[in-house]
Amino acid sequence: MNTVYRALGWLIFYVQLVLFVQCILLASVVGILASPLLRALHRTPTTNWVCAHAMRILARYLLGVTVEVDGAEHLQLAKEAPCVLVANHQSLLDTIWLAWVLPRKAVVVANMFISRIPVLGWFMRLSGNLFVKQGDKHSIKALFEDSLRYLEFERTSIVMFPEGRRNPSETGSLLAFKKGAFYLAYCTHAPIIPVAVQCTHPLYSWADCRFRRGCVIRIRVLAPISTESLTEEDIPALIADTRSDIQKACISLSFAEARTKLF
């Protein structure tokens, strides 16, 4: 009987995973189709927002996954000025919750390998997103220059994951934050908007063949951090404080999730 249940669990996992890939592809196609018009209107980054709304609908109705956003009012600032959004980075589910918080005019920093994925990579490139190859100094320099252009001249927000890579921690413990996003905000005086995401390991785990249907991803948008009066010497403390705030919020969200299950 245990073998039957295990086989059934695998089947459900792979069906849900296939549906997830379909959501990604369909949302990307929507973005690709919208790209020529938005490019002609000089609103290329808005393509991401169009794709995000498609992803919200698809995730809700095909995957049964929704997102609860606490502190959504803090995103209002990104409508008025370019900001640097920083968030913890865990799993494939990041593509879902991100669809709920992405500003109308924003680009995302992603690993270079994503740009080579058919359909998704085509969309990511067409919509002006930025790519970086970890450990490649030339790639990192190009990313910084492109990010400066977006923030200063194109008035476009940037979403970055300061952990630098996916961190599928079972406890929600964060990796050390890299300084790139914070140094960029310091150079451009762009406000930083921290975003905390609950530990999603109970919702999705490749190793455990788990992808819960009908789940809710809880995130919290923290109060924006002004960088107007910062000096370069303030950056290490800024990184440490922001990481600490996001970690505390992650723990709080995960506790709320556990309490919901109990009651």
Side-chain angles (χ1 to χ4, degrees), residues 108-185:
V108 180
V109 176
N111 196 295
M112 185 66 74
F113 84 90
I114 294 179
S115 67
R116 304 188 185 98
I117 299 175
V119 186
L120 173 60
W122 304 339
F123 155 71
M124 292 283 285
R125 286 186 177 276
L126 283 172
S127 51
N129 293 290
L130 302 174
F131 302 95
V132 62
K133 185 176 180 180
Q134 295 295 336
D136 187 318
K137 293 183 179 180
H138 296 292
S139 177
I140 294 172
K141 180 181 179 181
L143 170 64
F144 185 76
E145 293 174 350
D146 289 339
S147 298
L148 284 176
R149 173 173 55 83
Y150 270 122
L151 288 168
E152 291 190 320
F153 301 108
E154 300 190 22
R155 312 296 293 169
T156 298
S157 294
I158 297 178
V159 180
M160 303 183 76
F161 300 98
E163 288 174 287
R165 62 180 178 86
R166 281 188 294 177
N167 173 28
S169 168
E170 296 184 14
T171 63
S173 178
L174 303 183
L175 300 174
F177 278 12
K178 299 182 182 299
K179 73 174 185 179
F182 303 91
Y183 187 71
L184 179 65

Side-chain angles (χ1 to χ4, degrees), residues 25-35 47 50-51 54 58 123:
L25 294 177
L26 288 171
S28 296
V29 168
V30 170
I32 290 171
L33 293 176
S35 177
T47 310
V50 172
C51 178
L58 291 166
F123 155 71

Side-chain angles (χ1 to χ4, degrees), residues 10-80:
W10 288 340
L11 177 61
I12 293 172
F13 170 75
Y14 285 112
V15 168
Q16 187 78 335
L17 193 61
V18 168
L19 288 175
F20 176 77
V21 172
Q22 289 179 337
C23 288
I24 291 287
L25 294 177
L26 288 171
S28 296
V29 168
V30 170
I32 290 171
L33 293 176
S35 177
L37 175 60
L38 293 171
R39 185 178 293 270
L41 295 173
H42 303 290
R43 296 181 179 177
T44 296
T46 306
T47 310
N48 287 311
W49 183 78
V50 172
C51 178
H53 276 258
M55 188 64 187
R56 289 171 65 165
I57 296 170
L58 291 166
R60 176 175 294 172
Y61 293 105
L62 287 185
L63 299 176
V65 177
T66 57
V67 177
E68 287 186 2
V69 183
D70 180 26
E73 66 277 6
H74 296 312
L75 295 170
Q76 182 65 33
L77 181 61
K79 296 181 180 180
E80 303 165 1

